[in-house]
């Protein structure tokens, strides 16, 4: 199992809180949550996709069948649709989300699955309470997709769109569902091993590979690791918090990892320390993100 000695490229820096990376249309897209901006990288250059007002924090990203971008607005608890450079509200999920929403995946028919924290991220953090993943239909109708989850955070779907995996940060586990026609069923859970430094694994962003492996960003342990059949096969440690990961590049064998020194609003400084790095891996990614 590899740990400290690995080659990485810095693909973006000077960010506040990079999150929710996506490989789409042969480009890397991501949100800078505390920077209020969605970016993509075009030929090595950082391009602004959409800049939100300072009272909004963009998070999860996905695309409708017509190519329009959907963005989860954490602070206002709405899903935005970006068309022609303008943001309109695609869905309002406040009735099902008392606090910030978070990550999101969108299936090929335009159905979105949105995670939420279940507590106020910017307040002193209480013990996690069970909450739900929200489904947003292509026309914007909102309903519960799955409940009894402890801080559902990162979310991924395989290439056949028959399995959805949710990272439960408050439960220290990955939770998988069978997916069919927007319905989640047959729940199963997989506990995640902690480290000797910190006795709990809090999975954040996740992604999947073609061999059935799951790459997991473990923020509090400052690592990203690949788990397969209950065993960690690869692990990379960092000096910064690890927020999310995605497999990209034309061969889907580059692991993009989002890092930052600070994530709580009270700790943010005028000097952004967030960055995205790239690590080459053996098994190609599948599905989304």
């Amino acid at each position: 199992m590899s740990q400290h000695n690995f080659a990485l490229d810095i693909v973006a820096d000077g960010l506040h809180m990079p999150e929710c990376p996506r490989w789409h249309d042969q480009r890397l897209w991501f949100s800078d949550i505390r920077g209020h901006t969605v970016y993509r990288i075009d030929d090595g250059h950082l391009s602004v996709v959409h800049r939100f007002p300072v009272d909004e924090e963009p998070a999860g990203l996905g695309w409708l069948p017509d190519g329009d971008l959907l963005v989860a607005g954490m602070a206002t608890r709405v899903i935005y649709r970006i068309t022609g450079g303008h943001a309109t509200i695609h869905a309002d999920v406040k009735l099902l989300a008392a606090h910030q929403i978070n990550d999101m995946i969108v299936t090929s028919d335009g159905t979105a699955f949105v995670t939420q924290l279940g507590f106020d991220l910017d307040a002193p953090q209480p013990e996690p309470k069970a909450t739900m993943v929200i489904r947003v239909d292509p026309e914007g109708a909102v309903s519960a997709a799955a409940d009894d989850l402890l801080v559902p955070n990162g979310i991924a779907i395989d290439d056949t769109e028959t399995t959805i995996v949710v990272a439960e940060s408050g439960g220290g586990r990955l939770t998988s569902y069978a997916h069919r026609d927007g319905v989640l069923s047959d729940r199963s859970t997989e506990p995640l091993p902690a480290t000797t430094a910190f006795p709990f694994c809090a999975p954040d962003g996740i992604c999947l590979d073609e061999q059935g492996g799951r790459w997991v960003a473990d923020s509090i342990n400052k690592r990203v690791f690949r788990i397969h059949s209950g065993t960690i096969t690869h692990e990379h440690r960092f000096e910064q918090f690890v927020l999310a990961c995605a497999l990209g590049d034309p061969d889907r064998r580059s692991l993009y990892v989002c890092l930052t020194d600070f994530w709580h609003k009270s700790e943010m400084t005028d000097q952004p320390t967030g960055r995205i790095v790239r690590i080459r891996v053996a098994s190609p990614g599948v599905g989304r993100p």
Side-chain angles (χ1 to χ4, degrees):
M1 179 173 65
S2 60
Q3 290 192 15
H4 295 284
N5 297 320
F6 57 94
L8 62 81
D9 301 316
I10 299 174
V11 299
D13 58 11
L15 305 167
H16 293 275
M17 189 179 175
E19 257 276 21
C20 307
R22 306 286 189 264
W23 184 255
H24 174 76
D25 194 25
Q26 298 303 307
R27 298 176 179 90
L28 182 71
W29 307 60
F30 65 93
S31 293
D32 186 351
I33 291 176
R34 301 298 192 191
H36 318 290
T37 304
V38 176
Y39 292 101
R40 71 171 179 240
I41 297 178
D42 295 301
D43 298 323
H45 300 287
L46 203 60
S47 300
V48 172
V49 175
H50 191 81
R51 199 178 301 278
F52 288 88
V54 295
D55 61 350
E56 185 57 282
E57 297 180 328
L61 307 175
W63 286 263
L64 292 171
D66 66 1
D68 283 355
L69 173 65
L70 295 184
V71 182
M74 286 187 70
T76 61
R77 291 167 286 155
V78 301
I79 308 301
Y80 295 99
R81 180 173 184 159
I82 310 298
T83 305
H86 300 285
T88 59
I89 294 178
H90 176 69
D92 188 325
V93 301
K94 291 184 186 69
L95 289 178
L96 296 182
H99 304 288
Q100 292 98 331
I101 58 175
N102 193 5
D103 210 347
M104 174 177 67
I105 53 103
V106 181
T107 64
S108 58
D109 72 351
T111 301
F113 292 91
V114 185
T115 65
Q116 60 175 313
L117 302 174
F119 63 90
D120 185 352
L121 181 64
D122 297 323
Q125 295 182 35
E127 287 296 315
K129 296 181 180 180
T131 187
M132 68 177 70
V133 169
I134 300 166
R135 179 176 60 237
V136 178
D137 293 337
E139 299 78 20
V142 175
S143 59
D147 57 13
D148 197 27
L149 294 157
L150 291 175
V151 194
N153 199 335
I155 186 168
I157 188 169
D158 69 347
D159 54 336
T160 64
E161 299 195 349
T162 57
T163 300
I164 286 179
V165 184
V166 179
E168 288 189 75
S169 297
R173 62 196 177 209
L174 300 180
T175 297
S176 299
Y177 298 91
H179 168 252
R180 182 182 176 88
D181 298 328
V183 177
L184 303 186
S185 62
D186 300 328
R187 175 176 177 165
S188 63
T189 60
E190 178 181 3
L192 295 175
T195 66
T196 55
F198 199 87
F200 188 75
C201 174
D204 197 324
I206 56 175
C207 60
L208 314 177
D209 70 31
E210 69 174 17
Q211 293 183 347
R214 287 94 179 269
W215 282 97
V216 178
D218 180 4
S219 177
I220 59 175
N221 285 292
K222 298 183 177 179
R223 61 176 178 165
V224 63
F225 63 88
R226 179 183 183 269
I227 191 165
H228 186 269
S229 300
T231 299
I232 293 180
T233 63
H234 299 77
E235 180 183 78
H236 305 298
R237 295 176 181 254
F238 298 88
E239 298 298 320
Q240 297 177 288
F241 294 112
V242 183
L243 303 180
C245 55
L247 287 160
D249 285 358
D251 62 0
R252 296 293 302 275
R253 291 182 56 236
S254 287
L255 183 71
Y256 289 93
V257 185
C258 297
L259 308 169
T260 190
D261 286 339
F262 312 102
W263 58 266
H264 198 276
K265 185 175 287 187
S266 65
E267 300 172 329
M268 301 303 294
T269 68
D270 293 333
Q271 298 298 320
T273 63
R275 58 180 181 154
I276 299 177
V277 301
R278 175 173 55 199
I279 305 167
R280 294 291 289 170
V281 301
S283 183
V286 294
R288 290 179 293 282

